[in-house]
Amino acid sequence: MAKPTPLSGFPELLPAARAVEREVIASLSRTFELHGFANIETRVVEPLDRLAKGGEIDKEIYVLRRLQAGDGDSDSGLGLHFDLTVPFARYVLEHAGHLEFPFRRFQIQPAWRGERPQEGRYRQFTQADVDVVGRDELPFHHDVEVMRVMVDALDALPIPPVSFQFNNRKLIQGFYRGLGLPDVTTAIRTIDKLDKLPADRVAELLVSDAGATPEQAQRCLELATIRVADTSFVEQVRTLGVEDELLDEGLTELAAVVEGCAAGGHRHVTVEANLRIARGLDYYTGTVVEIFMEGYERLKSVGGGGRYDALASDGRTTYPGVGVSFGVSRSLIPLLADGVLSGSRPVPSCVLVAVADEESRSTSTAVADALRARGIPCEVAPNAQKFGKQIRTAERRGIPFVWFPDQGEVKDIRSGDQVAADPATWSPPEQDLRPQVISNEETTP
Amino acid sequence: MAKPTPLSGFPELLPAARAVEREVIASLSRTFELHGFANIETRVVEPLDRLAKGGEIDKEIYVLRRLQAGDGDSDSGLGLHFDLTVPFARYVLEHAGHLEFPFRRFQIQPAWRGERPQEGRYRQFTQADVDVVGRDELPFHHDVEVMRVMVDALDALPIPPVSFQFNNRKLIQGFYRGLGLPDVTTAIRTIDKLDKLPADRVAELLVSDAGATPEQAQRCLELATIRVADTSFVEQVRTLGVEDELLDEGLTELAAVVEGCAAGGHRHVTVEANLRIARGLDYYTGTVVEIFMEGYERLKSVGGGGRYDALASDGRTTYPGVGVSFGVSRSLIPLLADGVLSGSRPVPSCVLVAVADEESRSTSTAVADALRARGIPCEVAPNAQKFGKQIRTAERRGIPFVWFPDQGEVKDIRSGDQVAADPATWSPPEQDLRPQVISNEETTP
């Protein structure tokens, strides 16, 4: 069979890069678990009627059929999930009787969209989602909790600085209502165009499409330009002179989220109130967030989420939720491609145990077993070449140490230092034990 | 939307069971990495011409199309992989220029087959594969190495006792050739029916289908009944009086594999030479293995593999390999369903920090942050109910400790013991820190 060619939109990582991805996923999982979030995985397929809702996404859904399916094929009507929210909502409904609410879960899995591939956009991509979902009710403090978890999680990653930009739907809606705008929904959608159109043009559209007066349009723009890294936005909004109960609620909530997420001191995450963030999806009802990565603004957001008062409902019970998603593939694959991140070596092995001749392979294997029993990853040389060649084998694989059983010595092949050593007691320096993530920006702790 | 019903063949785990699956996968990964195997993941789709080879499996392949695909749909011709060997072979060919050979990898991912669901057989199922692949050549000692890795990996799992049953294709072929059987391939296929048909009937078929004399048929059966836990099979085969060079090679190899895998002393893995094992797949050329789990013989094998002299080839270069696969879903889902394995709790949290009243929630959050900073997973109570109710919240979630910030005390809710504690210094017993896998057979270390 001929040499295969890559499939556009289905990126694959070489072992050293995959080691970076695994470490990122392990780090995210550690933080989520420290905050008491349980991991789940859902099956990758959902019934089409749960996936296809008549929106833009529909044409990107991958549908399954069996290669030689008969008419009564029970698999027809299944598609691959395109995010982790739809399957999570279904999981909550299906398993509600076996879950404790509020249910706190994280989920790190691939999803699929048949869209045009480009940097940061892939047909198969891994997402990391963290959500809290309640039954019938979910106190607001969970908004602060879940956003704070993602702030902590991304702060622990070896990626460039990240900015969380928060807003609140109640704040926008209350402001527009208090301002007396006739069509609040259209106004929100129009303001959302500020990243594509100049402010003047957006003001015109607010007048022509949302029925605003020029004065109202001006106030909408003033609101949308407010962007601060603390709670001073409350005062700034107040000076715009709009009074509304929902606005008050939104201001209080947004202040609590910004305060809660900024607390504790983070290494490279910044937290802002940005009153222009609306997020396109209609189901958000309170807190909304978009996450941006420094130097990678061209990817648009690398994550986002918010509060939805009806994540799921089975007609009798409604499950409100709040969650946030981080695009693992969207952010990592460009970072790996640009060399901003790399893995220190493509193999887990810290030691290559040399083989003097094939007859003594079992001696080398015994040394390897002794090292493994003490948690030191190692491999035995594939053949009994001259030691110089075996050292070069280790070099090519990035393995830092070569062990010579016949001499009872171990060599650090970077420095050339060779010392007597006992496999029952020798240990490598901690940083050599496992492959490391190398960050080529000054963003690593 | 109505309450969803489960999809047959697509099992999903509740959080406590998922914690077991994660621990199993983490344990497998630890062993594979100690032996220097690098992890990779492949995309879930392959071109149909790589998947569909005209075999039995073809009709079980899931093909993708986009929901609203046009005529020029570039995704047509893609299917979900049905194992991890086909994608691995393709990965090796595609990325050969960036890999070091012999390339040692493990891969733990789901695969999909549209077959009739039953216990141990699912439409989506997770496999753990470990392989070594060479370029042009791959010394035999890698057979021993890769089988030994899986023995060590399964020995470390909290599952019932497992039996590795080895054979060698060269041994069978050499024996049949030395015996003078006219049709070796048909004879192998016929002997493979011994687990479905009585020995007499198989002997008849050897005569009628494979052209054996009754005496030859008898010898074939005698070979197939040899099953020992050491290398004494070599002597037993010799007494059957067949001479052949390939047979000699097979005997030497099988003895090396059995010896290498039995060495080191295992907890609950047994290793046998079982000269009846052939494995259906045609591409095996030397070592073959099937893995069985005690008490679950009805699942047939829970894993298997072997040596293939041409795992992949691009016409110019051939890549020989040896590998073995373990059915994570096939073995775990029945064990979880039967209660042989369970998770100690459905949440990672070791501590629930109580909340005296909503005004002091930030005090509770500060305690939680202090515990997390020291690696102790915890969550803050969802509301400020009476402490008795908060303790019951912890009970329902299986969280062993409740912290009372206002009293500066922590209670072990199992014993009722409550002691003064400082979040900067208190630690739970090691076994309470994370959810544990509970084994209800006496198979756990």
Side-chain angles (χ1 to χ4, degrees), chain B residues 182-249:
Chain B
D183 184 350
V184 169
T185 309
T186 305
I188 292 178
R189 229 173 258 150
T190 308
I191 279 287
D192 213 15
K193 295 180 179 162
L194 268 173
D195 53 354
K196 289 176 200 130
L197 299 176
D200 288 1
R201 180 71 192 119
V202 171
E204 284 169 25
L205 289 173
L206 282 169
V207 173
S208 61
D209 295 4
T213 66
E215 208 274 332
Q216 286 171 332
Q218 201 45 47
R219 297 283 194 88
C220 289
L221 287 180
E222 280 167 19
L223 185 77
T225 54
I226 295 174
R227 182 174 166 178
V228 295
D230 53 31
T231 57
S232 62
F233 67 90
V234 178
E235 220 16 66
Q236 294 186 43
V237 174
R238 293 278 179 234
T239 61
L240 297 179
V242 175
E243 296 282 339
D244 184 274
E245 225 174 78
L246 198 61
L247 169 62
D248 291 346
E249 214 180 300

Side-chain angles (χ1 to χ4, degrees), chain A residues 125-388:
Chain A
F125 55 96
T126 297
Q127 296 271 119
D129 278 30
V130 55
D131 291 79
V132 184
V133 64
R135 185 156 50 194
D136 296 321
E137 51 160 24
L138 184 72
F140 162 75
H141 63 74
H142 290 293
D143 287 37
V144 183
E145 178 186 26
V146 80
M147 295 304 162
R148 173 62 190 276
V149 174
M150 190 59 96
V151 166
D152 284 3
L154 298 194
D155 199 54
L157 293 187
I159 58 175
V162 154
S163 159
F164 279 67
Q165 305 197 358
F166 291 106
N167 198 358
N168 189 294
R169 277 290 178 94
K170 290 176 190 170
L171 188 161
I172 313 175
Q173 274 176 285
F175 186 89
Y176 288 6
R177 195 173 72 177
L179 199 57
L181 278 190
D183 184 349
V184 169
T185 310
T186 306
I188 292 176
R189 227 172 260 149
T190 309
I191 279 289
D192 213 17
K193 295 179 178 163
L194 269 173
D195 53 352
K196 289 174 199 135
L197 300 176
D200 288 1
R201 180 71 193 120
V202 171
E204 283 169 24
L205 289 172
L206 283 168
V207 173
S208 62
D209 295 4
T213 66
E215 207 275 329
Q216 286 171 333
Q218 201 45 47
R219 298 281 196 87
C220 290
L221 287 179
E222 281 167 21
L223 185 77
T225 54
I226 295 174
R227 182 174 167 178
V228 294
D230 53 30
T231 56
S232 61
F233 68 88
V234 178
E235 221 16 65
Q236 294 185 42
V237 174
R238 293 280 179 230
T239 60
L240 297 177
V242 175
E243 296 284 339
D244 184 274
E245 226 174 76
L246 197 62
L247 169 61
D248 292 346
E249 216 180 298
L251 285 169
T252 307
E253 287 190 2
L254 181 55
V257 168
V258 167
E259 234 166 21
C261 287
H266 293 98
R267 198 169 51 86
H268 69 183
V269 168
T270 54
V271 169
E272 290 181 308
N274 181 347
L275 303 202
R276 186 171 138 169
I277 300 288
R279 286 190 67 77
L281 292 164
D282 285 335
Y283 53 74
Y284 292 114
T285 51
T287 302
V288 288
V289 65
E290 295 206 359
I291 307 170
F292 299 90
M293 190 164 69
E294 198 179 291
Y296 285 84
E297 290 76 9
R298 63 183 187 269
L299 299 176
K300 303 277 164 61
S301 67
V302 294
R307 169 85 182 205
Y308 22 72
D309 284 339
L311 168 69
S313 171
D314 60 10
R316 279 175 309 183
T317 310
T318 295
Y319 299 87
V322 56
V324 54
S325 174
F326 173 63
V328 174
S329 301
R330 173 177 289 196
S331 50
L332 268 195
I333 291 175
L335 291 172
L336 290 163
D338 293 352
V340 174
L341 292 186
S342 56
S344 62
R345 57 182 192 244
V347 293
S349 310
C350 171
V351 178
L352 179 86
V353 183
V355 175
D357 46 55
E358 281 303 329
E359 289 63 46
S360 70
R361 176 169 292 278
S362 61
T363 311
S364 300
T365 302
V367 169
D369 280 340
L371 292 171
R372 286 175 192 134
R374 297 175 41 249
I376 302 168
C378 54
E379 58 189 84
V380 177
N383 49 46
Q385 295 170 309
K386 287 192 181 143
F387 284 154

Side-chain angles (χ1 to χ4, degrees), chain A residues 12-13 18 22 33 37 39 61 63 65-67 75 90-91 100 102 114 123 141 382 396-397, chain B residues 12-13 18 22 33 39 61 63 65-67 75 90-91 100 102 114 123 141 348 382 396-397:
Chain A
E12 261 176 352
L13 301 178
R18 169 63 183 157
R22 284 185 88 211
E33 293 190 308
F37 285 72
N39 181 250
I61 297 174
V63 182
R65 69 174 171 81
R66 280 193 290 166
L67 188 52
D75 296 324
R90 192 265 315 150
Y91 181 96
E100 284 295 326
R123 293 184 160 194
H141 63 74
R396 277 199 311 274
R397 293 172 184 240
Chain B
E12 260 175 354
L13 301 178
R18 168 65 182 154
R22 283 184 88 209
E33 294 190 306
N39 180 251
I61 297 173
V63 182
R65 69 174 169 80
R66 280 193 292 166
L67 189 51
D75 296 323
R90 191 265 313 150
Y91 181 97
E100 283 296 325
R123 295 184 159 193
H141 63 75
R396 279 199 310 274
R397 292 173 184 240

Side-chain angles (χ1 to χ4, degrees), chain B residues 122-140:
Chain B
Y122 312 102
R123 295 184 159 193
Q124 175 176 329
F125 55 95
T126 297
Q127 296 273 119
D129 278 29
V130 55
D131 290 80
V132 184
V133 62
R135 186 159 46 197
D136 296 320
E137 52 160 22
L138 184 71
F140 162 75

Side-chain angles (χ1 to χ4, degrees), chain A residues 95-113:
Chain A
H95 303 289
H98 303 283
L99 303 174
E100 284 295 326
F101 293 94
F103 177 50
R104 305 137 66 82
R105 84 85 174 80
F106 74 97
Q107 191 172 348
I108 304 179
Q109 280 187 258
W112 294 267
R113 294 186 184 195

Side-chain angles (χ1 to χ4, degrees), chain B residues 78-144:
Chain B
L78 296 181
L80 295 178
H81 58 226
F82 56 79
D83 69 6
L84 303 181
T85 302
V86 172
F88 175 53
R90 191 265 313 150
Y91 181 97
V92 166
L93 287 180
E94 185 174 328
H95 302 289
H98 303 282
L99 303 175
E100 283 296 325
F101 292 94
F103 176 49
R104 306 137 65 81
R105 84 85 172 83
F106 74 98
Q107 190 170 351
I108 305 178
Q109 280 187 259
W112 293 267
R113 293 186 185 195
E115 65 179 331
R116 182 184 300 275
Q118 52 177 298
E119 187 194 28
R121 298 260 182 187
Y122 312 102
R123 295 184 159 193
Q124 175 176 329
F125 55 95
T126 297
Q127 296 273 119
D129 278 29
V130 55
D131 290 80
V132 184
V133 62
R135 186 159 46 197
D136 296 320
E137 52 160 22
L138 184 71
F140 162 75
H141 63 75
H142 290 294
D143 288 36
V144 183

